[in-house]
Amino acid sequence: MTPKGLFVSFEGIDGSGKSTQARRLAETLNARGHETVLTREPGGSPGAEEIRALVLQGDPDRWSAETELLLFTAARRDHLERTIRPALDAHRIVICDRFADSTRMYQGLSRGDLRGAVDQLHDLMIGQEPNVTILIDMDPAAGLARAKARQTAEERFEDFGVALQEDMRAGFLALAQEFPDRIRVIDGNRSEEAVAQDVLDAVETCLP
Ligand code: ADP
Ligand code: TYD
């Protein structure tokens, strides 16, 4: 725990179980008397939720990778200003379903190499990393099948198909090697309970 609360993010491909595990972690920590704020990206503040609809709905070709990068960064900046920083200042545990690592992957890798631009914009406009990131590693086809079974309007990225999921999985595992002190890799191809126990073990080491 830093003097200003604890910032936990969940990352992984679509359908890997991030939302399920983020919710379970919040419930477990709340039951133990911690004050948590469960939030998500894109979104997590009223303005960022409006941007969410722009980036997650519609045709896969609706935006270029560069335009998307600006939209996701604008949403993150608003989320940081209005939700994350106030919660950390109030010493809460922020549990965020996706954060900047998703931009490093989806906008940085998916359509050419934009990682340099992603990093520059992050340094300029965000400048904050989670204290700990849980990467739920998952078979790409199984993740996509789980995600597609939800049948929501927010399928723009899922419509890029399994090849994108495969690239993202490999990219996330490489990112875990780039940030070994922050990112913990957990095998998501197991029961919800087994994954939840590993998540709790990883987060507990960061609690006071
Ligand atoms: P994400 O947020 O990573 O897209 P979700 O938590 O929404 O993933 O999970 C996607 C779907 O898979 C949901 O229907 C959820 O109930 C289901 N699910 C989550 N975790 C597991 C698990 N360990 N085993 C089987 N199904 C799961
Ligand atoms: P999310 O709602 O977490 O989808 P899922 O539950 O299927 O994992 O995120 C929706 C999509 O947004 C996901 O396919 C990844 C994409 N995304 C980016 O491309 N860049 C980003 O910075 C973020 C936060 C998400």
Side-chain angles (χ1 to χ4, degrees):
M1 181 89 84
T2 66
K4 282 191 163 194
L6 186 76
F7 183 10
V8 182
S9 68
F10 279 82
E11 297 283 0
I13 61 173
D14 296 316
S16 54
K18 299 177 298 298
S19 315
T20 304
Q21 294 299 331
R23 196 182 57 245
R24 286 184 72 127
L25 178 66
E27 285 166 4
T28 304
L29 294 177
N30 288 342
R32 294 185 182 184
H34 294 285
E35 282 191 67
T36 65
V37 173
L38 179 60
T39 187
R40 67 167 182 184
E41 290 208 350
S45 62
E49 290 288 335
E50 289 191 39
I51 298 174
R52 179 180 176 97
L54 294 176
V55 286
L56 296 194
Q57 297 182 22
D59 197 75
D61 294 332
R62 182 176 184 184
W63 310 108
S64 71
E66 289 83 353
T67 312
E68 243 173 56
L69 169 58
L70 294 169
L71 289 168
F72 277 108
T73 306
R76 180 161 306 125
R77 175 73 196 206
D78 192 63
H79 185 208
L80 200 58
E81 286 175 6
R82 290 166 201 261
T83 304
I84 297 176
R85 284 211 181 113
L88 292 176
D89 287 345
H91 302 267
R92 301 208 160 94
I93 300 176
V94 174
I95 300 171
C96 192
D97 185 352
R98 294 192 183 278
F99 192 67
D101 293 321
S102 283
T103 313
R104 293 184 176 108
M105 292 297 99
Y106 287 81
Q107 284 66 51
L109 278 189
S110 67
R111 280 154 288 166
D113 184 5
L114 277 187
R115 179 68 193 277
V118 170
D119 286 344
Q120 282 184 331
L121 209 48
H122 180 83
D123 290 347
L124 193 64
M125 287 295 158
I126 308 299
Q128 172 117 30
E129 298 295 347
N131 298 101
V132 60
T133 296
I134 306 294
L135 171 57
I136 305 186
D137 183 47
M138 176 82 203
D139 172 65
L144 194 59
R146 279 190 196 169
K148 286 297 235 182
R150 285 183 303 217
Q151 297 209 324
T152 68
E154 295 181 339
E155 298 203 348
R156 194 172 148 252
F157 283 87
E158 285 149 25
D159 289 343
F160 280 102
V162 76
L164 176 75
Q165 293 270 85
E166 280 166 0
D167 289 351
M168 294 300 100
R169 182 200 197 179
F172 273 124
L173 290 172
L175 207 61
Q177 300 204 321
E178 196 179 327
F179 300 105
D181 295 339
R182 174 170 64 82
I183 302 183
R184 304 271 179 278
V185 184
I186 288 177
D187 177 8
N189 300 281
R190 297 174 297 154
S191 71
E192 269 185 48
E193 290 70 25
V195 178
Q197 186 58 54
D198 283 2
V199 170
L200 192 60
D201 289 347
V203 172
E204 269 182 330
T205 62
C206 307
L207 292 170

